[in-house]
Amino acid sequence: MRFERLLAGRYIRSQKRQSAFTVISIIVAVAIITMVFVLYGVFINNYKNITYSSAPYHLLVSGITEEQAEAIHDDPHVERLILNVMQDDKVAASVIFKDDIGDREGWLQNLAIKNGFEKIIQDKKYEWNDKLMMLDSIGDNAHLAKLRIFCIFFIFAIFMAFALRLVIDTAFEISSKDRERQYGVLQSIGATPEQVVTIITYEGLKLCLTAIPFGLACGIVFAYAMYHLILNAGLANIFHGMANTITALPFTVEPLMLLVAAVVGMVWVFLSAYGVGMRVIRKTPMEAITARENNVKKVKLHTLSGLIFGVSGSIASRNARRQKKRFVITVLTLTVSITLFALFSTLTVSVEHSITNFINFNLMESDFSADLISHNYKGTSYEDSLKEIAESGLFKDIGIIVSKDVYVSDSSQTFYADYVNKEYYERLFGDDPEVSYEELAETGGYILNTSSSYYKAIESEINNNSVQIATKYRNIDKDKITENMNWIDLYRASEVENKEHTFDIIGKLKGKTGLMVNGQLVGAIDTYNAVKDDYYSNFDVDAVCFLSAVNEGDYNAQNYKKIIDFFNEHIDDVEITVDGYKTKWITHNVISAIKTGVLILNVMIALMALINLMNIISTGIANRRAEFASLQCVGMTDKQLRRMAVIECLQFIAAATFISALICALLTFGTETILRTLLQRSFVDESKETRKMLMELIKIDHITPFVRIGAASLAAFAAGCITSFVMLRMQNTDSLSDQIRGTDMKTDAKESHLLRNSVIAVVGAL
């Protein structure tokens, strides 16, 4: 094996450019896979930290004595135990296990019977922390649950591994292609195919000694940068309640993850080098020396590239077709990079848009909905709560709705009459309804909300734009009220009296069919204040307000805390029913973090694609230096050579751009079509207006992805052209006769004797 190792080292030193490209390719590939594995380890550790912080135990048993707690602590499976004193000299024991306990219910039952607290177990005064047990691999299903999380990660890792494997394989394929003649000479003087494969494999493993340590170090740096960028992009805000986010969510490096990444990188290189060696020895020594296959394939005389660009285009097109593998791999890596750059950001923005619109749809374009508790007999009023909300300075566009139970005379079907203010009225019927809010308030009339589900129940009863409606008037003897009476007692003690009133209908409008829009009749809040004593009584008022934060669109933890603190201070009067602000805030931060992570990943994949493109272009020019010199001998100018190189780059980029655009079109238009179809089929019983509004929630940008494809393609094209021009300029430093005599670039004196030394080493070994 000595001469194989010698030749492998000589090849690495003699072809510095190809070796450098190969090392860089391995470093980038190992760095990315290291980053993926390290971030997975960080996720698991921090998930465990968060789970432990919220519930620092595997098992919590309440209501036992200290002696029983000590008996639990003495169990060989228990690592530590924390006691919290309760009433009646009882304690709550927080138990942490040090190893798997098997059947946890059976273990606990046996322990309870042995130590006399089986009654506690029968009364279910214990609690398992399933998440922490799963992360610590304790329990029957813990390993399966943990494996499920790993499998989700592994699917992503497999995708990344496939893309990175192509980069390394391409680097070795290009490097070995330059030396096919030398391998043919070695075989012709007696070297066996196994020795040739061993030479290439040793070369790859020697490159690993340099590339993998650098790749691991770069991967840790990339993971650290990506982790903190993602935290700062939004995830840290979600954990704003923690004392110290950086302490609670530390960046840690698991040695096992580094070992896995190193082994994966080593296996990649070995498979690539071994696979390339097996492909090299398939050729006979004569085929390798002449660098031409026995069967010459017929090429087209006229191509599209030739018709557009002339002779330079025809030659460039033939070069691409005779090196199909390089062409396919380069186009594939460019396509993956361009597609990810164009698509992922668009999809994340679309997801955020849909979620935000869905929340606004349910909340009538508000951030919160809150019940204003109002019991006049208890001394509370919704007007006072509404005034405090308005004076807090935290909200704008405050919509109020007071709903009352009513029913058509001689009918048992109950519906609602909703009294609203101007802000809520405009949300229902738009900024310019046929009947203005001012007219509604001045006349004291009502709008017939034709989008209400109870519309048909009252439409037939309308006579001359009015309807007789019975209202429920609750009354109570104030002398019977005591301080200890609660709302239910008051409700039961009240007497119900039905009163008929005439409701004037001044218009019919179709409002938004979302949550909290139940009223068949809609009146102004001023109308309610005028008729409430006569129509409904002041027993209690069902009032709901819809609130938008003053910082709408800028959702953050500080403002959210101020709002929640305000509600907590008025908890007796105001109760949050729907918290859309928090959902929007979390959604925005999660999407921002995802976009940051995807952006970093796109940059790395783009770097791999550019390295691969530059490697293929530079090596392709070096391999064809004799052909270029021959073309120059028959009259081709330097300008025409550069033009041909530009056309070759254009072929790579054009193919990748077309495929990327096709993938983006299929995914964007296809995803939107599928989602719209599913919504249409899922909401067949809804009205056309409701389905139309639901359709508006699904909106994917069809322009931005193609703009990004164009920008990424131009950047890749510029990099390819620069590489081609640099290589052509380096080649022109030699005379045409030197270029025609050999395909290798100019080397130093020691490297020029590489083939002779290789032959001597082979003969000596034989």
Side-chain angles (χ1 to χ4, degrees):
M1 294 292 180
R2 180 172 177 273
F3 91 95
E4 288 93 337
R5 293 195 296 270
L6 173 65
L7 290 181
R10 294 284 181 88
Y11 284 139
I12 292 173
R13 292 190 297 272
S14 66
Q15 296 183 319
K16 291 185 175 63
R17 178 178 53 79
Q18 286 90 341
S19 298
F21 270 120
T22 304
V23 169
I24 292 174
S25 299
I26 298 173
I27 289 175
V28 173
V30 173
I32 292 179
I33 202 65
T34 300
M35 180 187 70
V36 171
F37 279 104
V38 168
L39 289 179
Y40 171 75
V42 172
F43 165 76
I44 293 297
N45 288 334
N46 288 337
Y47 183 45
K48 180 178 178 180
N49 291 339
I50 295 170
T51 303
Y52 181 83
S53 299
S54 60
Y57 54 81
H58 292 141
L59 169 65
L60 177 64
V61 183
S62 303
I64 60 176
T65 64
E66 291 188 10
E67 292 77 11
Q68 292 169 339
E70 287 298 326
I72 296 176
H73 191 215
D74 293 338
D75 188 273
H77 294 289
V78 176
E79 180 177 359
R80 67 179 183 271
L81 183 141
I82 300 174
L83 298 181
N84 294 316
V85 180
M86 302 174 63
Q87 296 178 352
D88 301 328
D89 295 328
K90 300 294 184 180
V91 297
S94 299
V95 182
I96 293 292
F97 299 110
K98 60 184 176 182
D99 54 21
D100 195 355
I101 60 175
D103 180 9
R104 64 185 190 182
E105 295 294 340
W107 175 88
L108 182 59
Q109 188 70 32
N110 293 332
L111 192 64
I113 295 173
K114 182 179 179 181
N115 295 282
F117 58 91
E118 59 268 21
K119 185 66 169 59
I120 300 295
I121 306 304
Q122 293 173 1
D123 294 340
K124 300 294 184 181
K125 293 183 179 180
Y126 66 94
E127 178 184 347
W128 298 101
N129 188 349
D130 294 324
K131 292 182 179 179
L132 187 60
M133 293 184 72
M134 180 268 293
L135 293 171
D136 289 338
S137 300
I138 296 175
D140 294 338
N141 299 323
H143 297 285
L144 182 60
K146 200 169 183 179
L147 180 63
R148 191 181 301 116
I149 296 176
F150 180 78
C151 287
I152 296 174
F153 154 78
F154 193 71
I155 292 173
F156 173 76
I158 286 293
F159 170 77
M160 292 298 302
F162 175 75
L164 298 173
R165 170 76 167 76
L166 290 177
V167 175
I168 296 178
D169 192 65
T170 303
F172 276 100
E173 182 73 27
I174 293 170
S175 178
S176 65
K177 191 73 175 176
D178 296 344
R179 301 195 302 269
E180 282 189 356
R181 292 184 180 180
Q182 298 173 11
Y183 294 139
V185 172
L186 289 176
Q187 292 186 75
S188 66
I189 62 174
T192 64
E194 290 78 9
Q195 289 174 315
V196 173
V197 173
T198 303
I199 293 171
I200 299 176
T201 304
Y202 267 127
E203 181 182 351
L205 295 179
K206 283 190 175 184
L207 293 176
C208 281
L209 296 177
T210 302
I212 288 183
F214 277 101
L216 293 175
C218 292
I220 295 174
V221 174
F222 291 159
Y224 181 85
M226 187 173 185
Y227 176 69
H228 286 87
L229 286 173
I230 290 175
L231 279 183
N232 295 330
L235 286 186
N237 293 329
I238 297 177
F239 302 99
H240 181 74
M242 295 183 178
N244 189 331
T245 301
I246 303 302
T247 302
L249 302 173
F251 177 82
T252 56
V253 178
E254 290 288 336
L256 180 61
M257 295 294 103
L258 295 181
L259 179 62
V260 172
V263 171
V264 170
M266 185 74 73
V267 171
W268 278 343
V269 173
F270 175 79
L271 293 177
S272 296
Y274 184 79
V276 168
M278 295 301 294
R279 287 192 291 272
V280 167
I281 62 175
R282 289 176 185 172
K283 292 184 178 181
T284 64
M286 185 58 65
E287 289 175 342
I289 293 172
T290 58
R292 179 184 295 273
E293 296 181 357
N294 292 329
N295 297 323
V296 180
K297 297 181 180 179
K298 182 180 180 181
V299 295
K300 295 180 180 179
L301 298 177
H302 302 288
T303 62
L304 179 61
S305 180
L307 293 175
I308 297 175
F309 301 107
V311 175
S312 298
S314 297
I315 298 175
S317 179
R318 292 180 182 182
N319 287 331
R321 287 199 302 275
R322 75 177 185 177
Q323 301 180 60
K324 291 182 179 179
K325 185 172 182 179
R326 296 187 185 187
F327 183 83
V328 170
I329 292 177
T330 305
V331 170
L332 181 60
T333 53
L334 285 173
T335 300
V336 171
S337 176
I338 293 173
T339 303
L340 289 177
F341 174 74
L343 198 60
F344 271 87
S345 298
T346 299
L347 290 180
T348 51
V349 170
S350 300
V351 169
E352 183 179 16
H353 168 82
S354 298
I355 294 175
T356 303
N357 283 351
F358 182 75
I359 297 170
N360 289 335
F361 172 73
N362 285 336
L363 280 178
M364 297 301 295
E365 300 176 1
S366 301
D367 293 322
F368 298 93
S369 69
D371 286 340
L372 305 183
I373 312 302
S374 178
H375 304 302
N376 286 349
Y377 287 111
K378 303 291 286 185
T380 61
S381 162
Y382 85 88
E383 290 94 344
D384 294 337
S385 299
L386 194 63
K387 183 179 179 181
E388 287 185 279
I389 289 175
E391 292 177 349
S392 68
L394 298 173
F395 307 101
K396 65 177 183 177
D397 300 331
I398 302 173
I400 184 70
I401 173 174
V402 175
S403 298
K404 305 302 295 185
D405 295 342
V406 297
Y407 57 90
V408 179
S409 300
D410 302 326
S411 173
S412 60
Q413 186 170 12
T414 302
F415 59 97
Y416 294 100
D418 288 345
Y419 296 90
V420 302
N421 62 354
K422 184 177 180 180
E423 287 80 1
Y424 195 81
Y425 184 80
E426 291 177 350
R427 293 181 188 180
L428 278 175
F429 303 111
D431 297 335
D432 188 24
E434 296 180 6
V435 179
S436 66
Y437 182 81
E438 289 73 17
E439 181 182 355
L440 187 69
E442 290 175 0
T443 61
Y446 295 82
I447 294 297
L448 187 62
N449 182 9
T450 59
S451 64
S452 171
S453 59
Y454 295 102
Y455 168 65
K456 295 298 181 182
I458 193 174
E459 182 182 23
S460 60
E461 304 294 333
I462 297 176
N463 183 22
N464 296 325
N465 294 327
S466 65
V467 60
Q468 288 294 114
I469 293 181
T471 62
K472 298 178 179 180
Y473 190 99
R474 290 188 174 273
N475 196 9
I476 189 171
D477 187 350
K478 296 183 180 180
D479 295 334
K480 295 181 180 180
I481 299 177
T482 64
E483 293 182 0
N484 297 326
M485 291 184 71
N486 56 30
W487 183 84
I488 296 178
D489 295 332
L490 287 170
Y491 190 85
R492 290 174 178 174
S494 64
E495 296 180 0
V496 180
E497 180 183 355
N498 295 329
K499 293 185 177 182
E500 288 192 358
H501 302 281
T502 300
F503 285 61
D504 294 326
I505 310 299
I506 64 174
K508 296 181 181 180
L509 293 175
K510 185 175 295 185
K512 294 182 179 179
T513 54
L515 295 178
M516 305 302 296
V517 188
N518 302 310
Q520 183 173 358
L521 293 178
V522 180
I525 196 71
D526 297 336
T527 301
Y528 171 75
N529 292 329
V531 304
K532 62 182 180 180
D533 293 334
D534 183 34
Y535 282 24
Y536 303 109
S537 82
N538 269 340
F539 175 72
D540 65 284
V541 179
D542 183 11
V544 180
C545 65
F546 293 84
L547 312 170
S548 295
V550 293
N551 61 319
E552 186 177 8
D554 181 21
Y555 301 102
N556 57 75
Q558 292 77 17
N559 291 327
Y560 180 72
K561 186 177 184 303
K562 291 180 182 178
I563 294 173
I564 295 302
D565 289 343
F566 169 81
F567 282 126
N568 290 334
E569 292 171 3
H570 301 80
I571 196 66
D572 294 334
D573 304 318
V574 181
E575 180 181 351
I576 300 176
T577 53
V578 181
D579 184 352
Y581 188 104
K582 184 177 182 180
T583 305
K584 294 177 183 178
W585 164 52
I586 292 177
T587 300
H588 175 73
N589 287 321
V590 170
I591 294 296
S592 297
I594 291 174
K595 287 193 289 188
T596 301
V598 169
L599 178 61
I600 297 174
L601 196 59
N602 281 345
V603 170
M604 291 187 164
I605 294 176
L607 179 62
M608 287 192 304
L610 287 178
I611 291 173
N612 196 30
L613 177 67
M614 294 168 63
N615 192 5
I616 287 179
I617 289 176
S618 62
T619 306
I621 291 176
N623 289 341
R624 289 179 285 145
R625 65 197 304 261
E627 299 176 14
F628 290 157
S630 300
L631 292 174
Q632 288 179 299
C633 288
V634 297
M636 179 172 279
T637 63
D638 291 341
K639 182 178 180 180
Q640 288 175 315
L641 277 178
R642 289 193 295 270
R643 186 165 181 256
M644 184 176 65
V646 170
I647 295 171
E648 289 187 9
C649 293
L650 184 61
Q651 289 177 334
F652 289 121
I653 305 303
T657 302
F658 174 77
I659 298 173
S660 297
L662 182 61
I663 293 173
C664 286
L666 290 175
L667 290 178
T668 54
F669 288 98
T671 301
E672 189 175 58
T673 302
I674 291 172
L675 291 177
R676 287 179 178 272
T677 302
L678 290 176
L679 276 180
Q680 288 282 9
R681 294 182 177 180
S682 300
F683 295 92
V684 292
D685 297 331
E686 302 293 334
S687 63
K688 292 183 179 179
E689 291 76 15
T690 302
R691 281 184 287 177
K692 182 179 179 181
M693 296 177 70
L694 290 172
M695 292 301 105
E696 292 177 356
L697 300 180
I698 303 173
K699 187 177 181 181
I700 298 178
D701 188 356
H702 300 301
I703 304 299
T704 305
F706 298 100
V707 174
R708 289 174 175 159
I709 287 176
S713 300
L714 289 175
F717 179 69
C721 291
I722 292 173
T723 303
S724 299
F725 294 159
V726 170
M727 289 301 301
L728 289 174
R729 185 172 182 178
M730 291 175 58
Q731 178 174 293
N732 287 335
T733 57
D734 293 337
S735 64
L736 294 179
S737 59
D738 289 339
Q739 295 179 42
I740 292 174
R741 279 197 297 266
T743 60
D744 295 331
M745 298 293 286
K746 189 174 182 179
T747 58
D748 57 36
K750 291 183 179 179
E751 294 167 354
S752 64
H753 298 290
L754 170 64
L755 183 58
R756 178 175 59 82
N757 293 337
S758 300
V759 173
I760 294 174
V762 172
V763 173
L766 296 176

